[in-house]
Amino acid sequence: MTTAPGKALLEARNCSLRFGGISALTDVSLQISPGELVGLIGPNGAGKTSLFNILTGVYRPTEGEVLFEGRPVTGLPPHSINRLGMARTFQNIRLFGSLDVTMNVRTSFIARLRGGLLHTIRRGKSFRSEEEEIREKGRGLLTYFGLEEAAAHPSRSLPYGDQRRLEIVRALATKPRLLLLDEPAAGMNPTEKEELKRLISRIRSEFGTAILLVEHDMKVVMGICERLVVLDRGSLLSSGTPAEVRADPKVIAAYLGTSSGQTEVAA
């Protein structure tokens, strides 16, 4: 699937990343269209998280550039990229464990406060109005995603699947146009994974949010993504529909260590 020039929501152009003499990524290009749900897959060490870190400003590419809605964002810090409309979750859950569920979500809304420090210190009418707006939106998100009954509980006390869901809700609170999910199914049982698939599909269809998903569980990826991008050893290996990628001999070789085109990547 090729995105027409100028229509991409996110575009990485010929990005490379090196740490001394080690190449984590080599000449990788990627495009995500508005509202698209794309899976980024590859064997361990393929460079998936390194690419995520370039896209979200954690790393600056050694070569190449990243554009969001046609605007260069290479070199911007993560919080600036987030304010432009890109949010992410992490492979390892990064909630504020001692804060309750409500406060975890409110921290994301705070990043979008219209007023500055003086506005907050004075706590005037506009500040109170904005605070009430944040409370209402936070309650709405928790209710929508089935976490309202846990609102007052410390986030560390939630079951693992709910913690993953809360992390996604917290990212959505920043109103992203693109959501990057880094192995959200890691550590989940089969029931939780099915719930996660439904959750991701809802976010895409009901919020209109584009999603880039890194995931090792092929049943999750093949079940919800309309397009897959495959990395191997830091380079782009393949791209296409799940059916095309699953039958690609190069992908089969990368995952299974064989050049046989008779075996498919498990779905």
Side-chain angles (χ1 to χ4, degrees):
M1 178 176 179
T2 303
T3 305
K7 298 296 184 181
L9 177 65
L10 174 73
E11 186 174 8
R13 295 178 177 172
N14 307 110
C15 288
S16 297
L17 180 65
R18 290 188 291 273
F19 299 99
I22 299 175
S23 291
L25 293 170
T26 303
D27 196 30
V28 173
S29 294
L30 172 73
Q31 288 187 341
I32 308 294
S33 297
E36 195 176 17
L37 175 47
V38 179
L40 178 63
I41 66 173
N44 288 328
K48 302 181 297 295
T49 297
S50 292
L51 181 57
F52 256 40
N53 287 335
I54 282 178
L55 298 177
T56 56
V58 177
Y59 297 150
R60 181 173 186 140
T62 308
E63 297 169 358
E65 63 176 342
V66 178
L67 296 93
F68 186 70
E69 294 190 314
R71 170 181 174 172
V73 296
T74 311
L76 290 182
H79 69 270
S80 295
I81 292 177
N82 175 255
R83 290 182 70 88
L84 291 174
M86 193 188 312
R88 72 171 291 180
T89 64
F90 292 85
Q91 183 176 350
N92 299 314
I93 294 174
R94 297 191 182 184
L95 297 172
F96 299 109
S98 61
L99 296 182
D100 64 30
V101 168
T102 295
M103 284 305 299
N104 266 273
V105 176
R106 288 189 67 190
T107 57
S108 294
F109 281 114
I110 289 170
R112 293 281 181 169
L113 286 173
R114 292 184 290 272
L117 178 61
L118 187 59
H119 168 80
T120 303
I121 293 173
R122 287 178 173 172
R123 303 181 71 85
K125 183 177 179 180
S126 62
F127 173 82
R128 293 194 298 273
S129 175
E130 200 168 12
E131 277 280 286
E132 180 58 30
E133 181 182 350
I134 286 174
R135 280 193 291 270
E136 287 297 320
K137 289 182 177 179
R139 281 195 291 266
L141 277 175
L142 292 178
T143 299
Y144 187 86
F145 290 105
L147 291 169
E148 69 277 11
E149 292 185 3
H153 298 173
S155 65
R156 66 161 64 101
S157 71
L158 297 182
Y160 186 83
D162 285 350
Q163 289 189 35
R164 283 285 183 190
R165 190 158 24 133
L166 176 57
E167 191 174 40
I168 294 173
V169 170
R170 191 174 63 174
L172 285 174
T174 66
K175 297 182 178 179
R177 287 180 292 284
L178 174 62
L179 178 62
L180 294 87
L181 303 176
D182 193 351
E183 296 194 33
M188 287 186 171
N189 62 43
T191 299
E192 289 171 333
K193 288 179 181 179
E194 287 301 313
E195 292 175 353
L196 176 69
K197 286 166 61 177
R198 289 192 290 269
L199 173 62
I200 293 172
S201 295
R202 285 179 64 194
I203 291 170
R204 187 276 186 92
S205 63
E206 298 179 28
F207 286 75
T209 307
I211 297 172
L212 179 60
L213 169 68
V214 164
E215 184 51 62
H216 280 292
D217 190 310
M218 289 297 101
K219 289 185 178 180
V220 172
V221 172
M222 298 287 179
I224 60 175
C225 294
E226 60 195 1
R227 182 165 64 93
L228 299 180
V229 175
V230 189
L231 294 180
D232 183 37
R233 300 178 185 179
S235 297
L236 182 64
L237 181 67
S238 182
S239 178
T241 66
E244 291 169 342
V245 166
R246 189 169 57 204
D248 188 333
K250 299 191 301 295
V251 177
I252 295 168
Y255 271 94
L256 304 180
T258 173
S259 60
S260 172
Q262 304 303 312
T263 306
E264 293 186 344
V265 176

